[in-house]
Amino acid sequence: MTVTVEKQGAVTTVIHARHEARNAVDPASAEALAKAFLAFEQDPGASVAVLWGAGGVFCSGWDLKHAAALMGQERPLAALDFPPAGEAVPHGPMGPTRLELSKPVIAAIAGPAVAGGMEIALWCDLRVMEEDAYFGVYNRRWGIPLIDGGTVRLPRLVGEGRALDIILTGRKVTADEAARIGLCDRVVPRGEARAAEEALAQEIALFPQGAVRADRRAVRLQHGRPVMEAMRLEWQNAAGLIESEGARGAARFAAGEGRHGNGADA
């Protein structure tokens, strides 16, 4: 099995291990990754997921040896295409990249997260990188375009100009640069990405999850919308929670809980 799942309380860690291919994704591992995240989404006891590539490599992209074999077939990419409107969206070439989950996912990045590996990291909500980890559109050198969200999500994170610099040159983007431009959120020492991310996930999982998911959803909903329309959506998205989960939290505060920043317990 190339994909395994470990659970610790409300945190689910999805582990991808194809050591012989530097954790490149082939169709079997893409399907396994998609199924693992769908199971996480449907698990009422799971609040936050961590995606980790075993063996010091996050993901070296789409398996080019498999891709080369596909090229001899008629319509080689047909299985990766989007279905007609109204039908269920399948997993993307990298696995879960077309799924729209309601819960946060954190990428624990060690070593390379390049080509499609960068795209799957961009799908995650947060990215924590080890100090010697790196991104890069390394598929540039093989004449292969980004096909799994890279041209969509990267500009939203770092802006169009920086995104085009990274995409067109195919250059290496170090953890330090990624942190500076907003491509990653935290940098940790070598060998500590998984532990750091699981600790971060546990921290997020402590909070009342209704508000966590509502705020995450509002951030996604506001993309490309005028300010007042986005604010109206923010209100509509959260108003019901103010009267339920928010009211309970206010009552706890009034009763003396949560002083000095100690309010993460649900």
Side-chain angles (χ1 to χ4, degrees), residues 79-240:
L80 304 178
D81 198 3
F82 279 86
E87 294 185 13
V89 176
H91 61 72
M94 297 302 298
T97 39
R98 294 174 185 169
L99 300 179
E100 294 185 294
L101 306 185
S102 66
K103 306 174 186 180
V105 178
I106 309 173
I109 302 170
V114 296
M118 182 174 175
E119 291 183 293
I120 196 172
L122 292 172
W123 170 76
C124 297
D125 296 276
L126 298 174
R127 285 151 294 282
V128 175
M129 299 179 73
E130 295 185 1
E131 58 194 354
D132 58 350
Y134 56 93
F135 290 119
V137 184
Y138 281 19
N139 46 300
R140 178 62 55 240
R141 64 190 67 175
W142 308 118
I144 299 172
L146 295 166
I147 59 172
D148 215 6
T151 65
V152 177
R153 295 182 173 115
L154 185 59
R156 294 185 181 191
L157 281 173
V158 304
E160 184 175 302
R162 283 184 171 134
L164 284 171
D165 173 61
I166 293 168
I167 290 169
L168 297 181
T169 65
R171 63 181 178 82
K172 181 179 183 178
V173 181
T174 64
D176 284 344
E177 181 183 357
R180 188 172 68 252
I181 66 176
L183 183 49
C184 87
D185 306 288
R186 304 185 185 193
V187 177
V188 299
R190 183 177 183 180
E192 296 185 13
R194 178 180 176 182
E197 291 235 24
E198 289 177 339
L200 176 58
Q202 292 287 358
E203 180 182 334
I204 295 170
L206 284 174
F207 292 107
Q209 290 301 296
V212 167
R213 294 172 196 172
D215 285 348
R216 176 185 179 275
R217 186 168 57 245
V219 169
R220 298 292 178 87
L221 285 172
Q222 64 84 32
H223 276 303
R225 299 179 187 272
V227 170
M228 292 310 299
E229 180 185 347
M231 291 182 67
R232 187 175 296 109
L233 284 171
E234 179 189 58
W235 170 257
Q236 294 169 350
N237 175 65

